[in-house]
Amino acid sequence: MIEKNEVLKTQKDNLARLMAGEDLTIIHKRVPTAYFDTKNRVLCCPIFKEDLSPALYDLFMGHEVGHALNTPWEGLHSALENNRTLKGYLNVIEDVRIEKAIKHKYPGLRPQFFKAYKELIAMDFFGIKKKDVNSLGLIDKINIHTKVGSSAGVVFNDVELPFLEWAERCKTWDEVVECAQAIYDWSAENETR
């Protein structure tokens, strides 16, 4: 007899392929978070100690399908060739863009993403439970706020707020690169790491 979790995993794998409109290679392994290999078209879903809830599956699969549909390998590759340290900034701003796009394309994901991010906060997935989120760097504040929402308690000052708004307006990869570079440059001048 097939385990309930195996059935759910197979269903979510097939749903991800349908949403992406291509026969993605989907793997499950012990990694800290889901990822999508834009060049080789591989979606990796993490295996946690406990079974993933349907909402977490939908978040991980939906988010990575967002990358499959929107993140250009060529653009990512060339941006990283120019500046490897920009990678984290690009990833955060691209996550903002692709999550908006996938929730627009598949509105049924909205409540699942909301539930799943609440689960991730309860698991301290982002490692912020014992931190003052407002002491984080700007890029981390943008990441937490755009994923978790106002419940995270992130406050943006008058200088930071335009960067958040810019990140939320990005519609193209080129806009993501421009925004990420601006935040990177501002952070290099104004933040201590």
Side-chain angles (χ1 to χ4, degrees):
M1 183 171 153
I2 299 175
E3 277 186 57
K4 184 174 101 175
N5 195 43
E6 284 300 313
V7 170
L8 180 63
K9 184 165 54 169
T10 301
Q11 290 171 341
K12 297 301 183 179
D13 288 359
N14 289 334
L15 181 59
R17 288 183 185 100
L18 286 170
M19 289 191 311
E22 66 177 287
D23 190 16
L24 300 173
T25 299
I26 300 177
I27 59 174
H28 298 256
K29 65 183 185 180
R30 293 200 182 282
V31 291
T33 190
Y35 66 84
F36 184 72
D37 177 342
T38 54
K39 181 179 182 184
N40 297 304
R41 314 306 288 168
V42 176
L43 189 159
C44 179
C45 187
I47 298 172
F48 293 150
K49 283 186 262 183
E50 60 281 337
D51 290 341
L52 292 181
S53 70
L56 279 175
Y57 262 120
D58 288 345
L59 170 65
F60 289 140
M61 295 302 195
H63 177 97
E64 300 310 328
V65 166
H67 282 299
L69 294 171
N70 297 290
T71 305
W73 179 79
E74 301 81 11
L76 178 61
H77 180 71
S78 60
L80 293 178
E81 276 186 346
N82 293 336
N83 182 355
R84 299 273 326 151
T85 58
L86 189 62
K87 182 178 183 180
Y89 291 78
L90 285 169
N91 190 53
V92 168
I93 305 307
E94 180 65 345
D95 280 358
V96 174
R97 180 176 83 98
I98 62 100
E99 283 201 1
K100 286 180 90 163
I102 198 72
K103 288 187 284 188
H104 179 75
K105 185 173 179 80
Y106 298 108
L109 288 174
R110 290 175 192 276
Q112 293 298 85
F113 274 41
F114 181 77
K115 282 185 221 170
Y117 277 125
K118 280 181 75 170
E119 283 184 51
L120 291 175
I121 287 293
M123 295 166 51
D124 199 23
F125 183 81
F126 299 104
I128 59 171
K129 193 174 269 184
K130 295 180 181 172
K131 290 183 181 174
D132 172 9
V133 292
N134 292 303
S135 69
L136 298 173
L138 176 58
I139 197 67
D140 295 322
K141 288 170 69 172
I142 290 171
N143 188 42
I144 297 300
H145 177 77
T146 56
K147 287 187 166 85
V148 179
S150 61
S151 66
V154 178
V155 177
F156 295 90
N157 64 35
D158 291 343
V159 175
E160 296 169 327
L161 188 59
F163 287 113
L164 170 66
E165 292 168 344
W166 187 359
E168 290 178 330
R169 282 193 313 270
C170 290
K171 298 260 193 276
T172 67
W173 173 254
D174 289 339
E175 290 172 351
V176 165
V177 173
E178 186 180 342
C179 179
Q181 185 68 58
I183 294 170
Y184 175 85
D185 293 342
W186 181 87
S187 296
E189 289 182 22
N190 296 283
E191 295 178 341
T192 306
R193 291 281 169 179

